[in-house]
């Protein structure tokens, strides 16, 4: 709708998690920019990786992102990069996420414009992934990343791995970048009153999509040694279609087979307001509720 | 905290619900003002009353409110006002509500400054009510309004009804105003699968504060003739202390005595995000959850 403020989120991952000076230069591209809000950044020394979370107006975000691309491509040499996390380029992956007054088709469109722009500006091959993917096998980022930076030169020669934008050969120091649109992820864990990892894994198998469970749910069993219990650790990949409460109730239901109880849950990191409101609406059976009734959404507009 | 944007809400009630031109002049005091957001306004012909909902920066809100006071006092003559709703003045009542980065003591302070300012500017007697009340019997607005405009001249002569600010006699055309601070109200109704109003009333009696129930809950039984059922209609007066889910579960628990089921609920009008998130956190037992994990709160800051 015209006049309504659009907000998208962007979570660029950069292949530098150790050199604080370089990290600061990359992050500073998102600082003090009108219309851009730096929400978080985390560096990991073992992964040798920087994950930045920003949100804001799509155009303002694009401008800041291009500055970060230039910084990262100037500062990072993938030929000398080592780290535990799979990676294919200096700017490894850039997901765009619709937050407010932006549809998924809009977000896909934004991701493609950014992909084209950075490919042309930096002579960088770009793969579109997730909801922006142009071939089904490119939806899954793990497929795109397979072979990592070291094997990308060869991979690009295969006709099925021709990049969506940019040259058919890797950028010598910056490699390749994956860009796409996806829904917000919610990291949602459900704790069981047992220390039997087999049970958590078995429940995860039943709840997650890949092995017969809910469409937008990934999951594994995890041991929490300090607490002496296990959890079903889930990634909810589209809470608008697979609600948090549905996976929660399904875990509870499957736990009953073992005489095991759900004793709590946790949400790691950020969660969109609507994912929790949806849960409240379900448990109290609130009829005809509209997100517009939430006071804060009126103030934000 | 310094630098964090403060937001209060204000819901002034004006004694004019029929003359659209006058209504528009009053409402326009809140339009197009920097830092002030007009969230809603509702006029009621039978009540002959206008309820405006605005939110924003406390100082900007004050300035707009003073303009609305001047308008209403110029335009409304209480000597000729008729309507079904109890009322004591042209600006009948002005509640202030803390929303973001503002405490209840801050809000009480704001309400008192506004009360003093309008009393002096317009030579208007003002009663402080609710959380701002200076005597226990003034907490309840119904007590303050008792006698309505027509009996206010006499009421002000009683020593126990000396106004908190302004002269000890009514403003000839604008009467008296009540100003105070309160928590956001949530109008929360729970529907039962029976058409027996006695049951809804009995449950309301058990759940509401006044007759032995939850501290910040008001409630009555209501018949929904079209739907052929009854509901427990509640006003939650402080959701931070009496949670929505607690009154919901209590209604369910009491309904069991009659073999009656809760079949749904409804929230009328606006509700603070935290009231629903609290509910989701309860039902899924989310541990260590912070409101700062809600994506939208980060973007709003």
């Amino acid at each position: 709708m015209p006049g309504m403020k659009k907000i998208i989120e962007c979570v660029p991952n950069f292949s530098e998690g150790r050199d604080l000076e370089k990290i600061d230069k990359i992050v500073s591209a998102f600082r003090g920019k009108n219309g851009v809000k730096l929400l978080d950044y985390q560096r990991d020394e073992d992964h040798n990786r920087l994950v930045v979370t920003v949100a804001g107006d799509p155009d303002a975000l694009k401008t800041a992102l291009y500055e970060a691309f230039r910084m990262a491509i100037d500062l990072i040499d993938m030929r000398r990069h080592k780290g535990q996390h799979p990676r294919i380029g200096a700017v490894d992956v850039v997901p765009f996420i619709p937050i407010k007054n932006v549809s998924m088709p809009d977000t896909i469109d934004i991701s493609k414009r950014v992909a084209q722009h950075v490919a042309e500006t930096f002579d960088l091959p770009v793969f579109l992934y997730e909801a922006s993917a142009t071939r089904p096998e490119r939806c899954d980022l793990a497929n795109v990343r397979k072979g990592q930076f070291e094997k990308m030169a060869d991979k690009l020669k295969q006709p099925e791995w021709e990049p969506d934008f940019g040259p058919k050969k890797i950028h010598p120091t910056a490699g390749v970048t994956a860009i796409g649109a996806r829904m917000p992820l919610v990291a949602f864990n459900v704790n069981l009153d047992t220390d039997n990892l087999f049970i958590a894994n078995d429940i995860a198998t039943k709840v997650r999509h890949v092995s017969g469970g809910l469409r937008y749910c990934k999951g594994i069993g995890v041991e929490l040694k300090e607490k002496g219990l296990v959890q079903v650790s889930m990634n909810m990949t589209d809470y608008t279609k697979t609600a948090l409460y549905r996976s929660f109730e399904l875990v509870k239901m499957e736990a009953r087979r073992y005489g095991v109880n759900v004793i709590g849950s946790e949400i790691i990191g950020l969660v969109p307001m609507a994912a929790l409101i949806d849960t409240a609406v379900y448990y109290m059976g609130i009829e005809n509720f509209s997100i517009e009734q939430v006071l804060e959404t009126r103030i934000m507009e």
Side-chain angles (χ1 to χ4, degrees), chain A:
Chain A
M1 272 175 267
M4 298 194 85
K5 210 172 140 191
K6 293 179 183 182
I7 297 179
I8 58 169
E9 190 190 2
C10 181
V11 188
N13 288 222
F14 303 91
S15 293
E16 177 58 69
R18 294 169 190 167
D19 186 322
L20 293 180
E21 209 172 306
K22 291 181 182 177
I23 288 168
D24 191 59
K25 280 181 179 162
I26 295 167
V27 172
S28 69
F30 301 103
R31 281 203 175 99
K33 297 289 195 295
N34 250 337
V36 175
K37 180 129 188 120
L38 176 61
L39 298 179
D40 190 29
Y41 62 100
Q42 304 264 3
R43 66 184 190 93
D44 188 300
E45 297 219 5
D46 295 332
H47 291 177
N48 197 5
R49 188 175 186 81
L50 168 69
V51 179
V52 178
T53 307
V54 283
D57 166 74
D59 287 329
L61 212 55
K62 272 188 221 169
T63 308
L65 186 66
Y66 298 153
E67 196 181 318
F69 258 91
R70 180 172 302 282
M71 249 346 143
I73 290 170
D74 278 358
L75 296 171
I76 299 170
D77 186 346
M78 290 305 291
R79 294 169 301 187
R80 288 184 285 166
H81 182 274
K82 284 191 167 42
Q84 284 171 20
H85 196 286
R87 75 287 179 270
I88 53 176
V91 185
D92 190 54
V93 55
V94 183
F96 289 93
I97 301 134
I99 300 293
K100 202 170 147 61
N101 301 322
V102 181
S103 66
M104 183 47 89
D106 290 347
T107 309
I108 292 171
D109 188 57
I110 290 165
S111 76
K112 289 184 176 176
R113 285 163 193 270
V114 168
Q116 182 172 15
H117 181 91
V118 298
E120 287 169 4
T121 308
F122 303 109
D123 207 27
L124 179 75
V126 176
F127 289 120
L128 296 170
Y129 83 109
E130 282 268 0
S132 307
T134 52
R135 305 174 185 212
E137 67 273 18
R138 294 184 186 186
C139 289
D140 188 354
L141 185 60
N143 267 341
V144 174
R145 274 205 195 113
K146 199 168 282 173
Q148 296 200 43
F149 172 73
E150 287 71 14
K151 302 242 169 86
M152 278 299 126
D154 286 344
K155 190 172 182 172
L156 293 194
K157 288 175 192 157
Q158 302 170 38
E160 66 271 30
W161 287 104
E162 189 177 311
D164 289 293
F165 295 101
K168 291 180 203 175
K169 55 183 179 40
I170 65 162
H171 184 292
T173 56
V176 176
T177 295
I179 296 179
R182 64 164 170 80
M183 286 297 291
L185 285 182
V186 181
F188 182 46
N189 305 328
V190 178
N191 297 338
L192 307 176
D193 67 349
T194 173
D195 61 359
N196 188 336
L197 185 58
F198 169 82
I199 294 175
N201 270 319
D202 184 56
I203 294 173
T205 306
K206 288 160 177 163
V207 171
R208 71 186 176 209
H209 178 236
V210 70
S211 45
L214 297 165
R215 174 68 186 87
Y216 295 100
C217 177
K218 298 176 177 182
I220 52 169
V222 167
E223 214 172 342
L224 303 184
K225 287 208 171 137
E226 276 180 37
K227 294 190 177 175
L229 49 84
V230 295
Q231 69 180 189
V232 180
S233 177
M234 294 178 285
N235 252 322
M236 306 301 295
T237 56
D238 186 348
Y239 71 89
T240 64
K241 295 191 179 119
T242 300
L244 267 62
Y245 68 81
R246 203 170 307 136
S247 64
F248 179 75
E249 289 294 331
L250 216 52
V251 169
K252 247 169 60 174
M253 191 266 279
E254 292 294 343
R256 282 203 289 271
R257 160 192 296 255
Y258 295 103
V260 160
N261 290 309
V262 163
I263 53 172
S265 69
E266 51 184 17
I267 288 174
I268 308 296
L270 297 179
V271 57
M273 176 174 65
L276 293 178
I277 285 181
D278 190 35
T279 296
V281 166
Y282 168 73
Y283 283 106
M284 300 202 305
I286 308 174
E287 295 165 13
N288 303 317
F289 189 76
S290 154
I291 199 87
E292 295 298 310
Q293 287 179 259
V294 177
L295 185 61
E296 283 80 355
T297 66
R298 302 287 190 96
I299 296 170
M300 281 174 66
E301 260 167 30

